[in-house]
Structures are given as C-alpha cells and as structure tokens.
Amino acid sequence: MQDSNSDLKTLKKITILQDLQDAELAEVLAASVPRVFPTGSVILTEGDPGEQMYILLAGEVEVTKRLLLPIDQTAVLERIMNRLKSGDGVTLGEMALIENDVRSANVTASTDCRMLELSKEKAFLLFNQNPAMGVKILFRLSQLLSKRLRKSDEDIVKLTTALVVALER
Amino acid sequence: MQDSNSDLKTLKKITILQDLQDAELAEVLAASVPRVFPTGSVILTEGDPGEQMYILLAGEVEVTKRLLLPIDQTAVLERIMNRLKSGDGVTLGEMALIENDVRSANVTASTDCRMLELSKEKAFLLFNQNPAMGVKILFRLSQLLSKRLRKSDEDIVKLTTALVVALER
C-alpha cells in the first residue's frame, strides 16, 4: 500500500491533471478508487462499454487496436499502437468521461500496474463542485485529444499516399 | 446587418455552445467580432499559425487537406474532407483555442459566409470569468474532438487494411 502523499506527487505528473493545485489533486484522489492489475491482465477491451477512466500510478501498459482483414475474416491482426509507462502522465479510457461510446482500443498490463479508477459520475460531481478545476482538466483533455487527432490525420495522409503509390505500381 | 437576437438563436445551435444559457451565449457574442467572407475566399490555410476560432452563422464552407505524393513532388492533391453549412452547428479552427499549433486543414467559403471570430485570449477570459460556462464549452469541445478522433482511427484501420490487400495483389 502506497501512502497518499506519494500518490499526490504522481498525480501532479498526469497530463490532464498538470494544472491542478494540491488541494484539487486531493479532491481527485478522494473521488477515485485504487485498482491493481497484475501482469498480463486486460484493463480495457476494444468495443466494450465503459464509464471509467484510469490513472496509471505505477507500471507499464500496451495499447493495441484490431485490424480485421476482409480477405480472410478469421485473420485478426493486432496493431500495437503504443507502450505507455507511469511517468509518461498516462490516463486510459479518458474518452469515457465525455462520450457514451465503447472503448476505442485494447489496453493490457505489461507489468503489475497500480491505478486510480475515476468514474464519469464522480468526475462530473467534481466538475460541478469546482468548475475552475473542471476547466483545467477539460482544457488539458481537449489538448490531448487535439494532439492525437493531428497525429491520426497525419497517418491518414501517409497511408493514403502509400495506397495511391501501391495501386499505381 | 443581422440583429443580435437572431445571432443568439443561431449560437444556441452551435455544437460546442449547445449547453449554454442565453446570458452565457450573450457573453460569447459580446466577446466575438463579426466577420464576412465572400464566396471563394480563404478562411483558414493549412500550416498557417492562428489564434482564432470561427463560428459559422450563415453560409457554406469546404474543408480540404493537402496530399503530397512522393512519386511526383509537384503533384499536390487536395483531399476534400467535408462540406459544412450553417445549421450544422459548425465551428472552424477551434483547435486554436487549446493548442499552439498550425491550422490542420484549409477552409474556403463556398458561399458568402457570415461568422463570429473568437480569439484564444477572449475565450480564456470567458473561461476565467465564468468557469461553469468554461466547463460546458470545453466538455462539448472534448466530445467533438473525441468523435473526430474515433472517425480518423476508423479510417486508419480501413486504409491499413486496403494497403495490405493492395500490396498482396
């Protein structure tokens, strides 16, 4: 069991919580539930519903996405998108806070992982009770999504170009 | 010149402003500058810096993105991504509010367009003065970005699959 002071220090480094004061981080900590995921366990499954976000306090995870090839429907490839570790300021499933949609990727624990689970309901209570904190978190969340969107759109341009070249061979 | 009552009605339909009360919409209106873009004029240029968001009050725009083919560097294709019209709740360049990055696409007026221009600076003043309104706007902005990200990631899966098929021919 880690003490909550050390968790507060880790929370300061989480990307979407970086602008929060200590008292606000303590509010997030109080609204969250500690969770442990042993090596190899599945944290999020692509396509599953989910209303919780996870804050990675310790450990490493792997993010993958299914690729279903139409030439052979049984051949399901997994595209490894990212390996993330605590210290990178990682949250997982944070899109669940703002959307009623399914998980967009698979996340598996590559090592034993210690997390905080924050439900959508609790997050909204926090935003209502302290809108100034809400603005800080939602601003950084928007920034995170915006950066990911730019990266994905660059990938689309590259893939489209590669496809045009491949079809012209 | 439109009266501001009719502009308030239009603002209610803007996706990222949909949760705002009339008094809050009036704050946004007061913080914005009216702009007119005649048919054919360029509103945003991909790669340019920019610190303003545009709210489409009347008219239609076309969103395109450059595709540079490596086989012939002079052949620049424009990928038409979207045609958007007032009534769709459109904002343009809203990523400028949260990021210090260049415009991610070109936007051209397909008809005469009437817009409101809101600077990043003015938006942050609004968020500071009224954080509850900030939460409402940033929540919907996050949702918008999240939906776009899901769409882009689906396109990546489709393009990757098509590329694998093309290379295996």
Side-chain angles (χ1 to χ4, degrees), chain A residues 69-71 95 98-99 101-102 124 131 135 139 142-143 145-147 150 152-153 156-157 161 166 168-169, chain B residues 67 70-71 95 98-99 101-102 124 131 135 139 142-143 145-147 150 152-153 156 161 166 168-169:
Chain A
L69 300 183
I71 35 171
M95 280 153 88
I98 43 169
E99 276 200 296
D101 210 330
V102 297
F124 272 80
V135 165
F139 170 73
S142 303
Q143 210 170 49
L145 293 170
S146 187
K147 280 181 207 296
R150 280 181 194 269
S152 286
D153 284 347
I156 287 175
V157 169
T161 304
E168 281 181 350
R169 280 186 315 175
Chain B
L67 287 183
I71 35 172
M95 282 153 87
I98 43 169
E99 276 199 295
D101 210 331
V102 296
F124 272 81
V135 165
F139 170 74
S142 302
Q143 211 171 47
L145 294 170
S146 188
K147 280 182 207 295
R150 281 183 195 267
S152 287
D153 284 347
I156 287 175
T161 303
E168 279 180 353
R169 281 185 314 175

Side-chain angles (χ1 to χ4, degrees), chain A residues 114-130:
Chain A
R114 213 163 54 77
M115 308 231 185
L116 289 177
E117 181 183 293
L118 180 65
S119 69
K120 186 179 188 163
E121 195 193 342
K122 286 286 177 70
F124 272 80
L125 272 176
L126 288 178
F127 297 166
N128 278 329
Q129 283 163 4
N130 187 344

Side-chain angles (χ1 to χ4, degrees), chain B residues 29-95:
Chain B
L29 194 59
S32 305
V33 179
R35 292 287 304 271
V36 171
F37 292 93
T39 308
S41 61
V42 174
I43 300 153
L44 301 179
T45 303
E46 189 178 351
D48 274 7
E51 302 229 315
Q52 301 81 30
M53 180 188 85
Y54 295 92
I55 297 167
L56 184 59
L57 295 178
E60 289 186 33
V61 299
E62 189 175 85
V63 183
T64 61
K65 240 179 125 62
R66 276 193 302 262
L67 287 183
L68 193 61
L69 297 184
I71 35 172
D72 177 3
Q73 295 287 340
T74 59
V76 178
L77 293 182
E78 291 262 329
R79 189 169 76 102
I80 297 177
M81 298 176 72
N82 235 331
R83 288 174 208 277
L84 304 166
K85 57 181 190 299
S86 61
D88 293 344
V90 178
T91 42
L92 302 164
E94 64 286 317
M95 282 153 87

Side-chain angles (χ1 to χ4, degrees), chain A residues 22-67:
Chain A
D22 282 2
E24 293 171 328
L25 291 170
E27 284 184 57
V28 173
L29 195 57
S32 306
V33 179
R35 292 285 306 270
V36 171
F37 292 92
T39 308
S41 60
V42 173
I43 300 153
L44 300 180
T45 303
E46 188 178 351
D48 274 8
E51 301 230 315
Q52 302 80 33
M53 179 188 84
Y54 296 93
I55 297 167
L56 184 59
L57 295 178
E60 287 185 34
V61 298
E62 189 175 86
V63 183
T64 61
K65 238 176 126 64
R66 275 194 303 262
L67 287 183

Side-chain angles (χ1 to χ4, degrees), chain B residues 98-116:
Chain B
I98 43 169
E99 276 199 295
N100 293 317
D101 210 331
V102 296
R103 301 300 190 186
S104 61
N106 300 298
V107 181
T108 311
S110 325
T111 67
D112 289 351
C113 287
R114 214 162 52 80
M115 309 231 185
L116 288 177

